[in-house]
Amino acid sequence: MLTNKTVILGITGSIAAYKAAELASKLTQAGAKVEVVMTGSATEFITPLTLRGVTGRPVVADMFEPTLEWSIEHVALAEAADVVVIAPATANIIAKMAAGLADDMVSLTVLATKAPVIVAPAMNVNMFENPVTQENLARLKARGFIIVDPEYGRLASGAKGKGRLAELDKIMAAIEGALGGSADLAGKRLVVTAGGTRERIDPVRYIGNPSSGKMGYALAEAARDRGAKVTLITASSLPQPEGITVVPVETAAQMKQAVDRAVAKADALLMAAAVADYKPRTVSRSKIKKARPGLTLKLVRTPDILGEVKGKFLRVGFAAESDNIIANAKKKLVKKNLDLIVANDITDKKSGFGVDTNKVTLIGKQGKDESLPLMSKREVADKILDRVVGLLK
Ligand code: PMT
């Protein structure tokens, strides 16, 4: 998809500028011709030399000194672009783009291009949440710019909030989408579950598990980017992704109810959620006093959502296993009558619950098992969806 495409990467003055070098490297490795333009303040964070080293191409940072290759006119770069990506995009460049200013190489390129423009903001949470930044982003969106939302997390200031540059996989997916990437799930309806359910013991305690929801969200976002209509039934508190119908739930019973309702029109159900298998038989209405010397909880089974769901659609389950990974996953594939099961190896610290990466084996009813190396959850999601596309045919 990226082979021989001209991608202009505009870098602006954010602490996240160093991540642009990795993005440039990924794009170059994928076959793109990466032309880097930088603002003066971006060069304070990362040198043009680094970007030149990564892309093997000249870097333009000063609009009055274009490199020989682009010296004919300084808008030549903008005209050659198949896609323009501004990553990281500061509040300042977002304001300039919204106002139509062109007083540095990045804003000039954006104003002069007819190619799709992708903007990946990265900044302090207060700057991001400031109504003026939000208005500027809304103006850009209304003009057809593609915004890759920043993520929640620890920011350079030490504070926590929304403002971290999006995962590079997400930016790559947006670039591929803008280049007419695969829409192989267009018209399909997918239901995805995510997160760990919680079963209340009393108003302040519950039985839960460490599922963050990252795997389910990666699946939902990847399916959306491939054209599917996605319903995400989630017990996770991750921020709501755009362009997806989100149904928040807490317990296994609530998740079952939401799944049963959503699958009525679905082509596929993908259950990445870690559902509690047991819940307390009774929930105490008042907080249980810890003055008691001991506490015995009587637990009862929760419904097996995937095993009991009715209807004609593709069923994909997950199995987080520590021993006999493949054999145990295969048992679940048969018992729950699944078309595909994704076996997670949770003995690897970089795989399974909470982390951004996963090491899985895809096991179908027929054919060879497909063992994948450790990769980002987004990459795993795309591999699963490749199989889903094949099975839906
Ligand atoms: O959320 P993350 O932090 O990104 O972590 C991802 C994950 C490790 C939670 C996820 O990738 C995963 O492996 N989820 C399945 C966890 C598991 O072991 O499930 P299970 O073996 O209990 O269940 C097998 C399948 O049946 C799963 O698809 C599950 O959603 C489903 N199930 C389980 C119990 C139940 N009562 N109802 C169900 O539908």
Side-chain angles (χ1 to χ4, degrees):
M1 159 127 342
L2 283 154
T3 312
N4 295 327
K5 297 287 183 199
T6 300
V7 179
I8 298 196
L9 174 59
I11 308 175
T12 65
S14 150
I15 188 83
Y18 74 94
K19 295 181 184 169
E22 202 188 331
L23 181 60
S25 166
K26 276 179 178 259
L27 289 164
T28 306
Q29 283 175 47
K33 206 166 121 188
V34 184
E35 306 289 357
V36 175
V37 291
M38 303 174 76
T39 58
S41 36
T43 63
E44 301 286 331
F45 288 95
I46 183 168
T47 68
L49 193 62
T50 306
L51 278 310
R52 189 186 179 125
V54 168
T55 62
R57 305 193 61 78
V59 171
V60 186
D62 180 350
M63 63 194 281
F64 298 108
E65 271 184 51
T67 60
L68 272 182
E69 198 165 340
W70 298 106
S71 59
I72 314 138
E73 47 177 332
H74 51 256
V75 293
L77 259 179
E79 285 171 357
D82 289 300
V83 61
V84 177
V85 190
I86 314 300
T90 57
N92 189 48
I93 195 76
I94 289 167
K96 280 194 196 181
M97 292 188 294
L101 296 179
D103 62 353
D104 61 72
M105 259 323 273
V106 175
S107 55
L108 179 141
T109 305
V110 169
L111 197 64
T113 193
K114 288 196 170 158
V117 182
I118 295 168
V119 178
M123 65 194 75
N124 163 276
V125 58
N126 295 340
M127 288 168 86
F128 180 69
E129 286 175 354
N130 193 304
V132 76
T133 305
Q134 290 302 315
E135 276 166 30
N136 287 334
L137 283 169
R139 278 166 82 183
L140 294 179
K141 254 190 214 174
R143 280 187 220 144
F145 284 51
I146 301 151
I147 313 296
V148 185
D149 263 346
E151 280 164 23
Y152 181 91
R154 194 182 166 278
L155 304 171
S157 61
K160 278 196 166 182
K162 200 171 175 183
R164 276 169 68 138
L165 183 70
E167 292 285 328
L168 298 187
D169 284 342
K170 285 190 187 165
I171 302 175
M172 288 290 285
I175 295 169
E176 288 183 1
L179 288 170
S182 83
D184 51 6
L185 283 168
K188 300 291 179 204
R189 290 171 190 267
L190 266 57
V191 177
V192 179
T193 66
T197 61
R198 291 175 174 187
E199 308 299 333
R200 294 269 160 201
I201 297 169
D202 70 9
V204 296
R205 301 179 179 95
Y206 59 81
I207 297 173
N209 66 69
S211 168
S212 61
K214 287 179 181 174
M215 189 63 242
Y217 278 58
L219 261 177
E221 288 170 358
R224 172 202 62 197
D225 294 344
R226 292 168 73 152
K229 274 194 173 255
V230 183
T231 302
L232 175 64
I233 299 167
T234 173
S236 153
S237 54
L238 287 176
Q240 205 164 313
E242 280 194 30
I244 288 175
T245 306
V246 177
V247 184
V249 295
E250 183 177 283
T251 64
Q254 288 168 2
M255 186 170 275
K256 178 175 167 50
Q257 203 180 30
V259 166
D260 287 346
R261 192 171 298 154
V263 291
K265 290 184 193 152
D267 296 289
L269 166 65
L270 298 95
M271 289 227 25
V275 185
D277 291 312
Y278 292 92
K279 65 174 184 176
R281 191 172 65 178
T282 51
V283 182
S284 171
R285 283 208 194 156
S286 47
K287 186 177 168 189
I288 298 169
K289 294 284 168 234
K290 59 177 173 282
R292 290 195 203 174
L295 178 65
T296 305
L297 288 175
K298 191 103 180 161
L299 301 180
V300 292
R301 285 298 305 264
T302 55
D304 181 348
I305 304 170
L306 193 52
E308 293 169 17
V309 67
K310 304 246 174 331
K312 258 192 145 189
F313 46 82
L314 197 86
R315 289 146 201 256
V316 180
F318 277 70
E321 303 289 343
S322 49
D323 349 75
N324 300 324
I325 298 166
I326 305 297
N328 285 336
K330 280 185 177 167
K331 275 187 205 156
K332 289 179 185 170
L333 176 89
V334 174
K335 189 168 169 241
K336 299 190 188 222
N337 190 25
L338 307 179
D339 298 282
L340 183 70
I341 192 152
V342 182
N344 284 287
D345 178 357
I346 57 163
T347 57
D348 187 330
K349 280 205 173 92
K350 291 183 181 152
S351 171
F353 294 97
V355 287
D356 292 326
T357 45
N358 221 354
K359 193 166 164 221
V360 305
T361 302
L362 306 183
I363 305 167
K365 275 183 179 165
Q366 285 140 13
K368 268 193 176 173
D369 302 344
E370 188 183 354
S371 284
L372 300 171
L374 188 75
M375 47 176 75
S376 72
K377 285 186 174 167
R378 173 64 191 230
E379 285 168 324
V380 170
D382 273 310
K383 291 283 183 194
I384 296 167
L385 292 176
D386 289 345
R387 295 286 286 258
V388 167
V389 169
L391 289 164
L392 285 174
K393 278 184 191 152

